[in-house]
């Protein structure tokens, strides 16, 4: 198959944090259809409104209705020959892979496949998922045969929400294909938009596994320093100061303790663990790291209660403020945020808890967590800086204390140490 890019028509399925930047960049070179089942999201994008804040609106405007079209009508997919699937792959309440969005997308795309078409998956999965779970659906839905009539590839997304430096174009892209020829084509395709270059993996399974271990490794590193925070809390020494001292050694990995949420780090290890368990191996290290990280919200809440008690503040009926609910700073993404763990644990002690976050979408927070964000900050008996949004750094904590002895906990270790009562 020749790399005749001029005739390629790309359909990006899923217009979230991953799919939208991809659609915009490809639209600078190809005809692109951006498809999402969320009609409101499509309407917003057609009105140049991106609630994720992931794309430059000037870039979007320059390609919209020229090379780029957004739609919620699946029939529009019929004119494409390259399909890139970027839908969410979360976990269930039992911490097992939820492939419902991926399978539904595969079935939808399969309806419109023609001979010679290519389907590229970017959604995070476990090794083997593309060929073992998605390909059979594509074959069944299309009536075509894999690697005879249609082909597949896998190129793991590496989007870092809120990061305006390490953007799509500037992060090296791993690519793969179901045949050597298709692998070359997919690698060249991404090479047109990725300034940092590409890395062609030898197989789809290798590419899938590379994504899974990227985030599992980071999860484990953070779980290590989180466990240190639990230990050092009992020793009554400051974890941040210990890390600063240790970081003077040239090969020390300078990770910081904190809450681990988001669409990748808190999810991907479960995909790798699921695959391992299906093959008869129980991954103790990976899952122990997950247990530590999932416990941190509860630890923070209990630590705050202890500080309040020590300072003579009556816990039940007290008013607490949590600054931030998104999973990371300067970003509206609330997926898998662990801040609600702090909120719910404090509520269990009878604390009246409020959360303020100007970056988060109030309706989305209410729908996802059942929490109503406040519009204005008042005065509180305890204050927890949970997310280090730039806007929060301008707040004078002293002005929002209910009284001098109000408890202040700095989860991100960014406030003046002399003005806080505790931090990770």
């Amino acid at each position: 198959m020749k790399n005749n890019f001029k005739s390629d028509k790309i359909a990006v399925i899923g217009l979230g944090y991953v799919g939208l930047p991809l659609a915009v960049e490809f639209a600078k070179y190809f005809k692109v259809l951006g498809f999402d089942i969320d009609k409101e999201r499509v309407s917003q994008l057609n009105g140049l409104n991106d609630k994720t804040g992931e794309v430059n609106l000037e870039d979007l405007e320059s390609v919209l209705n020229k090379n780029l079209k957004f739609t919620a009508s699946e029939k529009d997919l019929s004119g494409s020959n390259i399909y890139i699937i970027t839908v969410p792959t979360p976990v269930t309440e039992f911490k097992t892979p939820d492939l419902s969005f991926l399978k539904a997308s595969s079935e939808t795309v399969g309806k419109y496949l023609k001979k010679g078409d290519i389907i590229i998956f970017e959604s995070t999965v476990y090794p083997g998922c593309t060929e073992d779970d998605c390909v059979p659906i594509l074959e069944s839905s299309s009536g075509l045969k894999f690697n005879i009539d249609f082909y597949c590839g896998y190129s793991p997304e590496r989007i870092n929400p809120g990061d305006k430096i390490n953007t799509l174009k500037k992060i090296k892209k791993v690519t793969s294909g179901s045949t050597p020829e298709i692998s070359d084509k997919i690698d060249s395709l991404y090479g047109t938009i990725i300034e940092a270059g590409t890395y062609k993996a030898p197989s789809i399974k290798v590419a899938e596994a590379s994504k899974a271990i990227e985030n599992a490794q980071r999860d484990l590193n953070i779980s290590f320093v989180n466990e240190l925070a639990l230990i050092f809390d009992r020793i009554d020494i400051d974890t941040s100061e210990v890390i600063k001292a240790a970081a003077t050694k040239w090969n020390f990995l300078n990770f910081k303790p904190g809450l681990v949420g988001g669409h990748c780090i808190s999810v991907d290890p479960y995909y790798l663990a699921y695959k391992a368990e299906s093959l008869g191996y129980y991954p103790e290290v990976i899952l122990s790291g997950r247990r530590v990280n999932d416990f941190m919200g509860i630890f923070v809440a209990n630590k705050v209660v202890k500080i309040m008690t020590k300072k003579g503040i009556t816990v039940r009926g007290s008013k607490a403020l949590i600054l931030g609910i998104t999973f990371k700073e300067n970003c509206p993404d609330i997926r898998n945020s662990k801040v609600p763990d702090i909120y719910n644990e404090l509520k269990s002690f009878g604390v009246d808890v409020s959360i303020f976050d100007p970056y988060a979408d109030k309706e989305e927070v209410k729908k996802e967590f059942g929490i109503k964000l406040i519009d204005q900050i008042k005065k509180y008996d305890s204050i927890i800086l949970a997310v280090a949004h730039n806007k929060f750094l301008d707040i004078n904590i002293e002005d929002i204390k209910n009284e001098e002895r109000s408890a202040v906990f700095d989860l991100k270790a960014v406030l003046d140490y002399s003005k806080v009562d505790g931090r990770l």
Side-chain angles (χ1 to χ4, degrees):
M1 182 181 293
K2 295 181 180 180
N3 291 337
N4 184 14
F5 288 157
K6 290 184 180 179
S7 63
D8 286 329
K9 294 182 179 179
I10 300 172
V12 177
I13 292 86
L15 298 173
Y17 285 87
V18 176
L20 179 61
L22 202 63
V24 171
E25 288 303 323
F26 271 127
K28 295 175 182 178
Y29 304 92
F30 310 98
K31 291 291 184 182
V32 177
L33 179 75
F35 171 76
D36 202 294
I37 59 173
D38 186 341
K39 294 181 180 179
E40 183 179 354
R41 172 69 168 159
V42 170
S43 177
Q44 288 173 349
L45 291 176
N46 279 321
L48 294 174
N49 177 18
D50 170 30
K51 66 179 183 180
T52 69
E54 285 301 303
V55 296
N56 183 302
L57 293 183
E58 291 182 1
D59 284 350
L60 175 57
E61 187 174 19
S62 70
V63 294
L64 185 59
N65 297 324
K66 295 165 188 167
N67 273 359
L68 178 60
K69 176 185 175 183
F70 293 123
T71 183
S73 174
E74 69 171 54
K75 292 181 180 179
D76 292 335
L77 294 170
S78 62
S80 304
N81 68 299
I82 295 177
Y83 298 87
I84 303 178
I85 296 179
T86 67
V87 296
T89 44
V91 290
T92 69
E93 60 179 309
F94 304 109
K95 307 300 184 184
T96 58
D98 178 359
L99 300 177
S100 58
F101 300 107
L102 193 64
K103 289 181 176 180
S105 298
S106 297
E107 184 174 3
T108 297
V109 167
K111 297 176 188 176
Y112 302 97
L113 284 184
K114 308 174 298 300
K115 287 190 176 183
D117 286 356
I118 299 172
I119 306 94
I120 304 168
F121 294 89
E122 289 214 5
S123 305
T124 301
V125 293
Y126 47 75
C129 182
T130 297
E131 292 154 299
D132 297 341
D133 296 279
C134 299
V135 164
I137 295 173
L138 290 167
E139 287 185 321
S140 176
S141 186
S142 67
L144 301 175
K145 291 295 182 182
F146 177 52
N147 277 345
I148 297 175
D149 300 316
F150 71 90
Y151 307 88
C152 285
Y154 184 80
S155 181
E157 60 91 358
R158 279 179 167 171
I159 294 293
N160 187 24
D163 191 337
K164 301 305 179 184
I165 298 175
N166 299 301
T167 55
L168 171 65
K169 298 188 297 182
K170 297 177 181 178
I171 302 174
K172 182 165 283 193
K173 199 85 162 70
V174 174
T175 66
S176 65
S178 55
T179 71
E181 192 176 13
I182 293 301
S183 182
D184 288 342
K185 162 117 184 175
I186 291 173
D187 192 67
S188 297
L189 182 73
Y190 279 102
T192 62
I193 65 169
I194 306 297
E195 295 174 359
T198 59
Y199 176 85
K200 188 166 56 174
S203 69
I204 288 176
K205 285 183 181 178
V206 167
E208 291 169 325
S210 73
K211 173 60 176 179
I213 70 166
E214 280 177 26
N215 291 315
Q217 181 186 67
R218 184 164 175 79
D219 191 45
L220 285 169
N221 280 320
I222 298 172
S223 74
F224 171 65
V225 293
N226 273 340
E227 190 161 66
L228 292 180
L230 299 178
I231 295 170
F232 295 151
D233 176 63
R234 286 161 173 77
I235 302 174
D236 197 25
I237 55 177
D238 187 270
T239 307
S240 297
E241 294 301 328
V242 175
I243 291 174
K244 282 181 185 178
T248 58
K249 188 165 187 259
W250 76 92
N251 60 351
F252 180 80
L253 300 178
N254 195 358
F255 283 85
K256 292 177 170 49
L259 304 181
V260 180
H263 66 303
C264 285
I265 299 178
S266 65
V267 172
D268 297 358
Y270 289 119
Y271 274 74
L272 193 57
Y274 173 84
K275 184 64 176 180
E277 290 177 4
S278 73
L279 298 172
Y281 179 78
Y282 183 80
E284 296 186 26
V285 174
I286 292 173
L287 291 178
S288 67
R290 282 277 73 236
R291 286 193 293 272
V292 171
N293 285 342
D294 277 347
F295 173 69
M296 294 309 291
I298 294 173
F299 167 74
V300 169
N302 279 270
K303 182 65 178 176
V304 171
V305 168
K306 288 178 182 178
I307 292 171
M308 292 173 68
T309 302
K310 188 175 181 180
K311 299 188 77 170
I313 302 170
T314 302
V315 174
R316 180 170 294 276
S318 66
K319 295 185 180 299
L321 171 68
I322 300 176
L323 291 169
I325 196 171
T326 62
F327 92 89
K328 64 181 296 188
E329 64 275 5
N330 306 318
C331 170
D333 196 346
I334 65 168
R335 288 175 294 177
N336 300 309
S337 170
K338 296 303 177 184
V339 175
D341 290 354
I342 303 174
Y343 175 91
N344 291 325
E345 186 71 4
L346 287 175
K347 294 279 284 188
S348 73
F349 283 97
V351 179
D352 180 6
V353 191
S354 299
I355 301 181
F356 176 71
D357 195 325
Y359 290 83
D361 184 286
K362 292 180 181 178
E363 292 184 8
E364 189 178 0
V365 170
K366 182 67 176 176
K367 180 180 178 182
E368 184 68 22
F369 303 117
I371 296 172
K372 184 178 180 180
L373 298 181
I374 61 172
D375 295 314
Q376 291 183 326
I377 299 175
K378 298 179 181 178
K379 290 184 180 289
Y380 303 89
D381 301 299
S382 60
I383 301 159
I384 303 167
L385 178 68
V387 186
H389 292 317
N390 287 341
K391 292 180 181 179
F392 291 164
L393 303 183
D394 295 329
I395 296 174
N396 186 343
I397 298 297
E398 297 299 320
D399 290 342
I400 58 175
K401 285 184 175 183
N402 194 28
E403 53 181 291
E404 183 61 31
R405 63 177 180 170
S406 292
V408 179
F409 191 90
D410 180 10
L411 203 152
K412 303 299 291 186
V414 294
L415 300 176
D416 186 337
Y417 188 38
S418 65
K419 296 181 179 180
V420 301
D421 301 292
R423 65 180 184 180
L424 285 182

